[in-house]
């Protein structure tokens, strides 16, 4: 009869337990020094060796041939404990025996001394499943410890155990087993079983097992029975539902290089293979983490044990990807249209790069122009000194004019203020961060220093620390559309915004309060009147992007300097492109 690998290869000695050396050593020391506690709590994720350790412990303290804290595994005592037939070592699964009656029964029986061995051992697995009444009964038992009775409580969820129980037990936290340790163990087992294997297949299984040896072994079992010739890479991918390294790499690189249609093709290919969307996002997150870690030093190589070569992708991009993936992961939990979210994620990431690239192109252009201006200025000064000409002083290159103030649309701002309520403001304020975080990276940049100043059921007055950002936001219609869309979706509140520089807020508010008192508010709320009354505050129709403005200004300055220079020195001045 075929026996599952995890049963056959269940650790029978402390030294067989993978990845929990500290715990094994401490338990062996306790046995060797006869300092055994009457209650232990073993916590940790599934498949990390908790119940195996409990059984080995039960054997080691009762085995007449115990050596260095390890059981012999050949005597009657060891063998009957391994088979679960020794009456004094009792295993209880709290998931199926969570009643008070069962625990009371234990309490009564635990009073009696063991009959066959030195110590009676109760192993209660999944102890967090006990009912409150059962916990109380257990607590009573632990409060009146009986000589030669030991309780080992195991759980994956220690936070569900009452503190009164925890405080009466010696606690051991079992760690997730590293991929490397799992892979080593799988290799060892396959060598012993004389089964052929592909290293990459074991890597895939070790990764999918998520730190649990039992899952790793059952995946290995499946991979063995799936393929007819040992453990192949393709079988491992199939049984674990993993996406291949190549597929993942191709997808991420296509996004990074903005081959959007190819990235979408990769995505559809993965989904066509029947991979689950949530699983895909999870694996992408692990992949992103590995990419980040491969960029920093990892001295022992344990953290990136699965990845041999990683592409050079900017860490900024990876961080943005992780952030976006986390949002997508949340969205996937509440939607049935999972594929659409993944497509949106793909497009969003590629687009974010696009915007960043164009932003930095603009910045580069400005920098270039400024450099040229500075160079020319120096050239002129240099020539001036050389020729010792002081008759015609060259005036300084004019400073960029930054005093152009943004003028808010008073009529619209006032109409929001006229209907503003504290309740609306609070609602918008509380959700503002979430709404903004739905926007693209460059859109978020514009709103970074913004604050919600007031809100009515129909609109929001937004304050900006910097006039430039205020103007950029006020003229960005797609940003405004996206905002109102997300606002509608998230808080059922139209996020129609009116932008105000914070430096002008006080004045605007005073003006509003005053005109309300004077009864002249109507004039402001009527847009046609406003232009006549307040020609300066009405919004001018043309709003040049500040960026373009700056470039134009600099462009204008250059010929001025050149002409000044040529005027002075004739053809001596050479203009470098
Ligand atoms: Zn033995």
């Amino acid at each position: 009869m075929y026996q599952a690998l995890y049963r056959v290869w269940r650790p029978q000695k402390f030294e067989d337990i993978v990845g929990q050396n500290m715990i094994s050593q401490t338990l062996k020391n306790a046995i060797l020094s006869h300092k055994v506690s009457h209650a232990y709590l073993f916590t940790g994720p599934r498949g990390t060796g908790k119940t195996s350790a409990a059984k080995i412990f039960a054997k080691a303290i009762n085995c007449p041939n115990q050596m260095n804290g390890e059981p012999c595994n050949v005597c009657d005592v060891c063998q009957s404990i391994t088979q679960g037939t020794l009456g004094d070592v009792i295993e209880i699964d709290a998931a199926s025996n969570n009643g008070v009656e069962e625990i009371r029964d234990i309490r009564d029986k635990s009073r009696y001394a063991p009959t066959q061995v030195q110590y009676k051992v109760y192993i209660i697995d999944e102890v967090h499943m006990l009912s409150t009444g059962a916990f109380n009964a257990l607590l009573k038992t632990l409060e009146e410890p009986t000589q030669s009775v030991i309780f080992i409580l195991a759980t994956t969820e220690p936070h569900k155990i009452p503190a009164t129980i925890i405080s009466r037990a010696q606690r051991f936290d079992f760690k997730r087993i590293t991929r490397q340790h799992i892979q080593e163990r799988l290799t060892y087992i396959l060598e012993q079983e004389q089964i052929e294997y592909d290293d990459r297949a074991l890597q895939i299984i070790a990764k999918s097992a998520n730190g649990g040896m039992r899952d790793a072994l059952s995946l290995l079992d499946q991979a063995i029975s799936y393929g007819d010739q040992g453990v192949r890479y393709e079988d491992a991918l199939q049984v674990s539902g993993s996406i291949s390294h190549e597929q993942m790499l191709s997808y991420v690189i296509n996004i990074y290089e903005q081959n959007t249609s190819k990235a979408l093709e990769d995505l559809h290919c993965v989904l066509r293979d029947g991979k689950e969307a949530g699983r895909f996002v999870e694996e992408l997150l692990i992949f992103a983490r590995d990419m980040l870690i491969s960029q920093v030093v990892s001295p022992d190589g344990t953290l990136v044990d699965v990845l041999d070569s990683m592409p050079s992708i900017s860490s900024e991009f990876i961080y943005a990807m992780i952030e976006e993936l986390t949002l997508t992961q949340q969205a996937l939990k509440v939607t049935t249209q999972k594929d659409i979210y993944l497509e949106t994620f793909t497009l969003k990431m590629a687009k974010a790069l696009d915007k960043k690239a164009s932003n930095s192109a603009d910045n580069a252009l400005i920098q270039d122009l400024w450099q040229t201006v500075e160079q020319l200025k120096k050239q002129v000064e240099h020539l001036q000194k050389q020729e010792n000409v002081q008759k015609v002083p060259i005036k300084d290159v004019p400073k960029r004019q930054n005093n152009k103030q943004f003028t808010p649309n008073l009529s619209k701002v006032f109409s929001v203020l006229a209907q503003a309520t504290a309740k609306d403001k609070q609602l918008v304020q509380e959700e503002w961060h979430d709404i903004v975080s739905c926007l693209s990276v460059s859109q978020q940049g514009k709103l970074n220093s913004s604050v919600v100043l007031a809100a009515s059921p129909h609109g929001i007055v937004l304050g900006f620390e910097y006039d430039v950002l205020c103007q950029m936001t006020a003229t960005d219609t797609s940003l405004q559309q996206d905002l109102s869309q997300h606002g509608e979706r998230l808080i059922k509140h139209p996020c129609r915004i009116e932008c105000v520089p914070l430096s002008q807020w006080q004045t605007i508010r005073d003006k509003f309060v005053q005109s309300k008192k004077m009864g002249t508010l109507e004039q402001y709320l009527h847009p046609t009147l406003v232009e006549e009354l307040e020609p300066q505050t009405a919004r001018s129709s043309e709003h040049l992007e500040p960026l373009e403005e700056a470039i134009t200004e600099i462009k204008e300055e250059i010929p001025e300097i050149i002409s000044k220079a040529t005027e002075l020195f004739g053809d001596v001045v050479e203009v470098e492109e």
Side-chain angles (χ1 to χ4, degrees), residues 41-44 94-95 98 124-136 138-139 153-167 171 173:
L41 178 63
F42 290 177
T43 73
N98 60 358
I124 308 182
D125 201 10
E126 301 296 339
V127 68
H128 62 272
M129 301 287 278
L130 289 182
S131 64
T132 315
F135 266 129
N136 288 334
L138 179 62
L139 185 62
L153 315 173
T155 181
T156 48
E157 298 179 58
H159 56 276
K160 290 185 180 165
I161 314 273
T164 43
I165 303 256
I166 293 181
S167 67
R171 178 170 171 170
D173 293 328

Side-chain angles (χ1 to χ4, degrees), residues 303-317:
L303 288 168
V304 270
D305 48 8
V306 175
L307 299 161
D308 21 33
S309 64
M310 266 300 169
S312 58
I313 286 178
S314 85
S315 52
E316 249 181 320
F317 171 78

Side-chain angles (χ1 to χ4, degrees), residues 551-562:
I551 294 168
T552 323
E553 270 175 30
I554 298 163
K555 275 184 182 160
E556 279 165 7
E557 285 162 7
I558 293 170
E560 197 190 326
I561 302 163
I562 297 170

Side-chain angles (χ1 to χ4, degrees), residues 59-60 62-66 70-79:
K59 283 192 276 190
N62 286 318
C63 173
N65 312 320
Q66 177 252 111
E70 296 275 18
C72 78
N73 279 315
V74 289
C75 69
D76 286 349
V77 172
C78 282
Q79 292 207 337

